[in-house]
Amino acid sequence: MSALNKCHNISDLRKKAKSRLPAPMFHYIDGGADDEWTMRRNTEAFEDYQLMPNYLRDVENIDLKTPVLGTTLDLPFFLAPTGMSRLFHHHKEIGAARAAAEFGTMYSLSTLATTSLEEVSAATTGPKMFQIYILKDRELTREFVGRCKDSNYQALCLTVDTALAGNRERDLYNGMTMPPKITPASFFSYASSWHWLFNLMLSPDFRLANVMHRVDALGKGAMGLIDYVNSQFDRTVSWDDVAWLVDQWQGPFVIKGIQSVEDVKRAREVGASAVMVSNHGGRQLEGSPAPVDCIPALRDAVGNNLELIVDGGIRRGTHIIKALALGADACSIGRPYLYGLAAGGEAGAKRAVNLLKTELERSLALLGCASVSDLGPDHILPLRS
Ligand SMILES: Cc1cc2nc3c(=O)[nH]c(=O)nc-3n(C[C@H](O)[C@H](O)[C@H](O)COP(=O)(O)O)c2cc1C
């Protein structure tokens, strides 16, 4: 049995990732902001909802097909945007995108990816979304829109919860840098991650591939890249800028990082097709609510006029079932596929998606649902009412 086949759930893949990665890289994936309360709560919140089964239904065939963002995915969940995948495995974004495509679901490419949006598009056939920021350099934002159209991205996703970077203390303790630097504090963890080190020597391509041409044009070297990106977060971005971007794109448009009723109503008003109800996996505002807890009120507020995607804390198929039953249209995952990627490259990312898919199919059958579209509030019994 291969090492990946011995991973029977996402938690096993996390352990495998931990054993293979130098500490700075593992904790960059695994950590959250401040005391990590929000990060933990994202997953723990699912325990506040029980699943109520109905028996004696035909559950011979389970249908996971999910219409979202103008397309139909084969799964009710997709891969959320995550930056700098090369830090975790040399298969980087292409490995993750191919895993999504293999299972007929969507891959979201981050602005801060280590593979360009054109390379990802050329290397995979599945549906793709590009995650964009409204940067101080509006010309670059506008350029991304054109490049995404040229490369056939289905949707654009604007992340709005990063006016500035969250306080990730694990990164400070572990000496996380981009590109990676071996320091006295991290020397032993690099030395013991020989797989990772070996591939570092073979392909040391730690470039922020979508933005580096802009940095070069400004006359800064690769070392100025992170400074450039941090300097580009624009705290003055407002709903008017979002309306401008929706107008530029003219296609399925997602706003990621929204949690309040007021904001989902504004999202609908500016013409978004969907929101990713998300707190960035607990990496930004410590104390923000678990996305799954927000869903019923948001659904009441927007009815069926806006798609709601739950993002954060999903580690089990039953978590996805609970989110859908509470009113979400789809879900997305971040760390689960990154643990898989770190544990075994493309095959590891596939393992992560397949584990969640298998759990979904089994749990839906046990719940008495032949299709994800059959899920509804009657399947939920709150633990505390
Ligand atoms: C290592 C890492 C990098 C991330 N990078 C980005 C990013 O570049 N853009 C973005 O919008 N969200 C980013 N996210 C947040 C994810 O898109 C997603 O919201 C989050 O991971 C969901 O929570 P989960 O990891 O518990 O599934 C990142 C998350 C992680 C773990």
Side-chain angles (χ1 to χ4, degrees):
M1 201 189 249
S2 83
L4 284 174
N5 286 340
K6 287 186 197 151
C7 292
H8 299 298
N9 50 47
I10 300 299
S11 171
D12 288 347
L13 283 175
R14 177 181 175 277
K15 285 183 206 139
K16 190 94 220 134
K18 188 171 188 184
S19 73
R20 288 182 73 112
L21 284 178
M25 276 79 231
F26 174 74
H27 290 289
Y28 179 67
I29 301 179
D30 199 56
D34 294 12
D35 296 317
E36 303 185 341
W37 177 86
T38 291
M39 183 180 83
R40 287 191 300 279
R41 173 75 197 150
N42 281 354
T43 299
E44 285 167 9
F46 287 102
E47 292 172 15
D48 292 345
Y49 306 95
Q50 304 168 101
L51 286 172
M52 183 58 79
N54 293 311
Y55 292 120
L56 299 170
R57 313 280 162 104
D58 178 354
V59 289
E60 174 78 13
N61 298 305
I62 302 295
D63 182 8
L64 297 179
K65 287 208 179 338
T66 302
V68 69
L69 295 171
T71 185
T72 297
L73 304 179
D74 289 347
L75 298 176
F77 68 94
F78 62 86
L79 277 52
T82 56
M84 305 192 290
S85 296
R86 174 63 190 92
L87 289 173
F88 320 129
H89 197 279
H90 59 285
H91 290 169
K92 49 186 188 170
E93 286 80 7
I94 289 178
R98 285 189 174 147
E102 163 114 354
F103 289 92
T105 196
M106 189 162 64
Y107 176 69
S108 319
L109 183 74
S110 166
T111 289
L112 304 181
T114 39
T115 313
S116 75
L117 67 93
E118 289 83 6
E119 284 174 277
V120 169
S121 178
T124 63
T125 50
K128 283 168 286 289
M129 172 158 85
F130 183 72
Q131 178 263 314
I132 199 166
Y133 296 106
I134 299 180
L135 300 166
K136 281 188 188 154
D137 182 353
R138 294 287 200 278
E139 204 35 58
L140 181 55
T141 302
R142 200 198 305 266
E143 179 198 299
F144 282 142
V145 172
R147 288 168 61 190
C148 287
K149 285 181 183 167
D150 291 345
S151 295
N152 298 319
Y153 278 70
Q154 274 74 21
L156 199 64
C157 164
L158 172 69
T159 294
V160 296
D161 57 6
T162 49
L164 64 168
N167 175 37
R168 318 224 181 109
E169 293 175 4
R170 288 205 219 181
D171 293 348
L172 304 177
Y173 289 120
N174 290 289
M176 165 64 196
T177 57
M178 172 68 181
K181 258 191 263 154
I182 301 178
T183 62
S186 58
F187 174 80
F188 285 108
S189 90
Y190 278 100
S192 58
S193 308
W194 58 269
H195 264 118
W196 190 93
L197 263 189
F198 180 68
N199 284 305
L200 170 71
M201 286 181 277
L202 289 186
S203 54
D205 49 348
F206 292 90
R207 301 165 306 136
L208 295 184
N210 289 307
V211 300
M212 61 176 300
H213 63 292
R214 208 73 184 173
V215 186
D216 291 345
L218 294 175
K220 299 183 179 176
M223 293 307 288
L225 209 53
I226 290 290
D227 292 342
Y228 168 78
V229 169
N230 285 334
S231 74
Q232 281 302 319
F233 287 121
D234 184 350
R235 295 195 204 183
T236 69
V237 171
S238 70
W239 285 103
D240 288 342
D241 299 297
V242 181
W244 166 78
L245 191 58
V246 169
D247 189 51
Q248 296 281 314
W249 174 244
Q250 298 282 329
F253 190 95
V254 188
I255 305 180
K256 175 171 183 282
I258 275 180
Q259 298 199 273
S260 76
V261 165
E262 185 181 333
D263 281 353
V264 289
K265 287 183 176 165
R266 297 292 294 268
R268 196 181 47 180
E269 279 161 24
V270 296
S273 355
V275 298
M276 282 168 83
V277 184
S278 171
N279 54 35
H280 219 101
R283 296 163 77 81
Q284 289 295 107
L285 175 65
E286 174 76 327
S288 55
V292 66
D293 286 338
C294 302
I295 287 297
L298 300 185
R299 179 54 76 208
D300 278 354
V302 294
N304 289 326
N305 295 324
L306 189 74
E307 289 175 340
L308 300 176
I309 297 158
V310 167
D311 168 81
I314 289 165
R315 301 293 180 268
R316 287 286 187 185
T318 49
H319 295 166
I320 296 168
I321 291 174
K322 289 176 183 180
L324 299 177
L326 284 162
D329 293 285
C331 295
S332 62
I333 55 166
R335 293 181 186 86
Y337 80 84
L338 290 181
Y339 294 139
L341 186 72
E346 183 178 329
K350 285 180 182 164
R351 181 79 183 156
V353 176
N354 198 29
L355 283 168
L356 289 174
K357 178 183 181 223
T358 308
E359 289 180 11
L360 263 172
E361 285 168 335
R362 183 189 301 112
S363 301
L364 277 171
L366 290 171
L367 191 63
C369 274
S371 163
V372 283
S373 61
D374 294 342
L375 287 167
D378 290 352
H379 291 108
I380 295 289
L381 183 66
L383 198 58
R384 291 175 278 270
S385 49

